[in-house]
Amino acid sequence: MDLRIEKTEKSIKNAFIELRARKPLEKITVKELCGIARINKSTFYSHYGDIYDLSDTMEAEIVESVTNSISHPEYIIEDPAAFTQELFVAYLSQSSLTDTVFSGNESSHLASRIEDSVKKLLFEKHPGLREDMVLNIVLSYCIQGAYHAFRGNSRYEADKKIAVISSITENIRPLLEDYE
């Protein structure tokens, strides 16, 4: 990628994160973002369709980074507790960025996007499992439930929450015995 394009992209994304830390997505304007990024509106529009397109792009990049950090997506079947721990380590490595980009009305998007991404990784390796109802429900429960349990109990230490969630996730192993 051209260095100027890369620099402009970085400037746009940094300005977006700065604004997103202070405002809900709906209140951010392209004009305001361009002022912070020190670019023209036409430059912004040559990269993104609108603020929502930029937000969607950043969400996708964060989710990709989180799921790419999961080295063994098949652990959801083979070792659910290990999968949960790996997922949370990946999530926590991006927590300051996810807390900003996925704040407010966007907060529920993170779990859904991670679920979609993990399923994509798993089903690329095991395409025959894509339509399995039990596996899809278990995956949704593990990913969505673990995420919301973690986020909803913010007053507790992360390590302790992960241990409890991993223990709960381990208890679904009997449902997955046919898949190993």
Side-chain angles (χ1 to χ4, degrees), residues 140-156:
S140 295
Y141 180 81
C142 288
I143 295 167
Q144 295 276 350
Y147 171 77
H148 290 290
F150 186 85
R151 296 282 299 186
N153 290 284
S154 58
R155 68 182 183 266
Y156 302 112

Side-chain angles (χ1 to χ4, degrees), residues 113-124:
R113 290 190 110 171
I114 288 176
E115 177 186 348
D116 292 344
S117 187
V118 168
K119 284 181 175 181
K120 182 181 176 197
L121 282 174
L122 180 64
F123 297 144
E124 283 174 356

Side-chain angles (χ1 to χ4, degrees), residues 125-140:
K125 290 185 176 186
H126 305 282
L129 299 176
R130 185 179 309 277
E131 299 303 319
D132 188 280
M133 180 191 73
V134 172
L135 183 59
N136 275 283
I137 290 171
V138 167
L139 288 169
S140 295

Side-chain angles (χ1 to χ4, degrees), residues 20 25-26 55 59 63 91 98-116 140 143-149 151-152:
R20 196 66 183 89
L25 181 62
E26 305 79 34
S55 180
E59 287 179 10
V63 168
Y91 166 71
T98 58
D99 289 349
T100 301
V101 175
F102 288 95
S103 64
N105 294 335
E106 310 304 309
S107 64
S108 65
H109 293 175
L110 179 58
S112 296
R113 290 190 110 171
I114 288 176
E115 177 186 348
D116 292 344
S140 295
I143 295 167
Q144 295 276 350
Y147 171 77
H148 290 290
R151 296 282 299 186

Side-chain angles (χ1 to χ4, degrees), residues 1 17-18 50 64 71 125 158 161:
M1 182 185 296
I17 291 167
E18 180 182 328
D50 57 22
E64 182 180 354
S71 57
K125 290 185 176 186
K161 291 188 294 187

Side-chain angles (χ1 to χ4, degrees), residues 34 57 67 165:
C34 290
T57 299
T67 54
I165 293 167

